[in-house]
Amino acid sequence: MSQPFYLIANWKMHFLESEAKALYGAFVEFAEMDAAVKVWVAAPAVHLPILQQVRSGKVPYGAQNVHFELSGAYTGEISVPMVRDCGGTFSLVGHSERRILFHESEELLGKRAEGALRQGLNIVYCVGETLDQRESHQTMSVLENQFATISELVGSYNNGELLIAYEPVWAIGTGRVASTDEIAEAHLHLKTLAAQAGNPMLPVLYGGSVKPQNIEEIATLDDVDGALVGGASLDSDSFRSLYQKSAAALNR
Ligand code: PGA
């Protein structure tokens, strides 16, 4: 396989210290049994120093959002140096919960993405349409607009420094997974945009109700380079199952 399959846990706003440590420890137990599948964890910011205490190179961890300035009067924000100081290697940027619940604009997300990458932090940039947008046939133009925010960065960051996650908003946490045709169409579109921007190898992950029951068909789709997983990453058994099933599907 030319590039790894990324299985990224998004813990959102879950867990206290002992739970985060225990779950991370469980992930370390099975991660890297198969070199083709890479496990990363996007943890709540307060868990980063906790994970640092039990850090394993097998499971890189990072933040769920990051600011573009090195420091300053930005109450409630965290900086790239803070994430890195806690051993974090990446951050999500533009998750739909940031876009919708916290009204983060394309302009702000572009600054977050560029600031993080320029300061040496990898990012997973999230895109995806709402149900209204899909039903009014705007999915591809929404993805184009969201992609445009990072298109000038795409050509300069390779080898896992910049990943994209396609997450249809209507599939996140709803149990309603996009069909394989819908996923394939969106991923092909994003790969085409990435190629036009100078990076045909840009990894594009799928997210939205990924579960042990559907990971195999998603993992084997062309143009799907990984999965960003919320609900099914909150339990060691289901996340191990995702890991094992994606590894088996990829090795077939
Ligand atoms: P879900 O969340 O797997 O619970 O749908 C995915 C995400 O929000 O990244």
Side-chain angles (χ1 to χ4, degrees):
M1 231 187 60
S2 52
Q3 63 178 351
F5 185 85
Y6 296 89
L7 195 57
I8 304 185
N10 178 5
W11 286 353
K12 304 193 180 183
M13 195 175 73
H14 290 285
F15 304 135
L16 301 179
E17 169 170 355
S18 60
E19 297 163 315
K21 262 189 187 163
L23 192 56
Y24 181 81
F27 288 9
V28 169
E29 293 285 312
F30 61 76
E32 271 197 4
M33 287 186 313
D34 190 299
V37 182
K38 290 201 179 301
V39 174
W40 293 6
V41 175
V46 292
H47 290 164
L48 299 179
I50 292 166
L51 296 184
Q52 192 169 28
Q53 295 166 17
V54 289
R55 172 162 67 159
S56 159
K58 291 188 202 171
V59 182
Y61 56 84
Q64 297 171 4
N65 206 6
V66 73
H67 200 266
F68 45 90
E69 295 288 357
L70 289 169
S71 64
Y74 300 101
T75 301
E77 293 280 331
I78 59 169
S79 69
V80 170
M82 291 172 186
V83 174
R84 292 176 53 134
D85 194 37
C86 297
T89 59
F90 76 98
S91 180
L92 306 183
V93 173
H95 189 279
S96 66
E97 287 150 18
R98 300 305 316 173
R99 291 174 181 272
I100 296 168
L101 301 177
F102 300 96
H103 309 291
E104 296 202 1
S105 65
E106 288 301 331
E107 190 193 350
L108 173 62
L109 297 175
K111 286 185 184 168
R112 290 190 189 280
E114 183 175 358
L117 288 169
R118 294 217 191 288
Q119 293 169 48
L121 194 71
N122 301 334
I123 67 161
V124 182
Y125 183 75
C126 305
V127 299
E129 80 288 1
T130 63
L131 188 58
D132 276 359
Q133 290 165 335
R134 174 157 286 275
E135 287 177 346
S136 54
H137 308 287
Q138 295 175 57
T139 299
M140 297 305 140
S141 64
V142 167
L143 297 182
E144 281 158 29
N145 288 338
Q146 293 171 335
F147 186 90
T149 301
I150 54 152
S151 61
E152 285 183 10
L153 301 165
V154 163
S156 312
Y157 295 94
N158 296 300
N159 301 321
E161 292 167 330
L162 170 58
L163 319 180
I164 287 202
Y166 168 60
E167 299 202 299
V169 176
W170 46 272
I172 295 178
T174 58
R176 181 175 166 192
V177 70
S179 73
T180 49
D181 284 351
E182 288 167 332
I183 298 172
E185 186 190 23
H187 279 240
L188 178 60
H189 197 57
L190 289 165
K191 286 279 189 182
T192 305
L193 293 171
Q196 286 165 358
N199 191 350
M201 297 297 286
L202 185 73
V204 182
L205 285 54
Y206 170 77
S209 296
V210 173
K211 304 279 180 240
Q213 303 87 287
N214 57 32
I215 184 73
E216 283 162 297
E217 60 177 7
I218 293 170
T220 46
L221 287 175
D222 286 348
D223 301 328
V224 173
D225 304 306
L228 180 56
V229 185
S233 77
L234 303 179
D235 170 82
S236 62
D237 287 343
S238 64
F239 201 65
R240 186 189 302 104
S241 172
L242 289 180
Y243 181 87
Q244 290 168 339
K245 288 187 171 189
S246 46
L250 294 164
N251 287 328
R252 233 172 254 145

